[in-house]
Amino acid sequence: MTFWLTALVVWVAAGARVGRVLVKPATTARVAIVVAVSAVALACTAAIPDVGLAVDNLLPGGLPGGLLSEGVVAGSWLLFVTATSVVASAAWPVVSRRNLRQIAWGIYGIGLLAVVGALAWSFVLGWAVTGAAGIFVVVTGLRNLSWTALGRGIAIYIVGTALVIVLAAGQIQRGLTDTPGAEPGQPAWAWPLWQLAALMIAVGAVWIVVEMWLRARLLLRRVRSLHNVLVKRFPEVVQEETGTSTQLKASDRVAQIMDALYLQSGGGVELAAAGEPPAAVGRRAERVAQWAKHPMGPAVVDARWVAPPEGVSPRGWVQAIAQAFESAPEPAAHREAAVR
């Protein structure tokens, strides 16, 4: 069951990457990621003992010792490092978008030759190329690490790739010493580690998609109260939304809140009573939140206060206002009216 679940998860990740290519421009790097994750999914599927046995029995009389299924697994991992090398090449400064496609075709050609050589001559050659290409991928990934959604996805991806390098070295050692392979219908050598590597690669490939979705869901939850109040006050800010996806909906909510705050401030009028907004984001957000909750209250705000502070994105600024909005106290008059 573990084999089937791992293959299912990786195929789902491959489908997610296909969906991203369909909704965004199909660049060379994005297509290469689809090829890479699909290759890992194919390797996981061929590594399932029952599937491997069925593959080996495709020809009349079958094939000895998992010859065909092992070749499919080795070729799939070769395809994975080949496609990932295309993505890694795009990260080097010497490679431009103009010549990336030509370089990609060259890398795919080398990978194809390695697959043919591995199947026709020795699997050791294929695993050697897999290890060498994996080192290039890991080195490139380490050069581009950062504490961002993309950087975290790259980190998980290269950890999985590093594990593939170690396992490829083990396969080379086994091939050079003529270590017998697994019996037909039995799990291959180090199968738990191969599954772990595949899962890490799949998670790394879709990490940015998942994290951005979770961030959008969290944003929608945080700004719900502020958005409801301002939309009731200024319904004209709600027009046809740009999309139904969670991320687009979150972007629409941010834009609607900023538009409503701008309208409430008088559309750009500067008030002397408002004073200069402070540099502290927290203090500024508290005052804007009090004014948004009770426009006729003591807090005075103009367009200078509504604009995002320097260095803060509109999304981050709206979240700060929404957080302060939730914790803003009710005026005494409102509390007395609620009691009565």
Side-chain angles (χ1 to χ4, degrees), residues 70-71 74-75 77-79 81-82 110-134 168-169 171-176:
E70 186 178 349
W77 284 109
L78 256 173
L79 180 57
V81 293
T82 299
I110 295 174
L112 179 60
L113 291 176
V115 171
V116 172
L119 297 177
W121 181 45
S122 172
F123 292 154
V124 173
L125 172 63
W127 291 120
V129 175
T130 298
Q171 292 283 18
I172 294 172
Q173 189 272 334
R174 289 171 60 83
L176 294 176

Side-chain angles (χ1 to χ4, degrees), residues 161-188:
T161 306
L163 184 54
V164 171
I165 296 172
V166 174
L167 293 171
Q171 292 283 18
I172 294 172
Q173 189 272 334
R174 289 171 60 83
L176 294 176
T177 57
D178 293 326
T179 303
E183 294 293 328
Q186 296 299 317

Side-chain angles (χ1 to χ4, degrees), residues 312-340:
V312 180
S313 66
R315 178 170 292 203
W317 176 230
V318 167
Q319 288 192 77
I321 297 173
Q323 184 177 0
F325 185 87
E326 293 288 346
S327 57
E330 293 286 346
H334 287 263
R335 289 197 299 269
E336 294 175 0
V339 171
R340 293 176 184 176

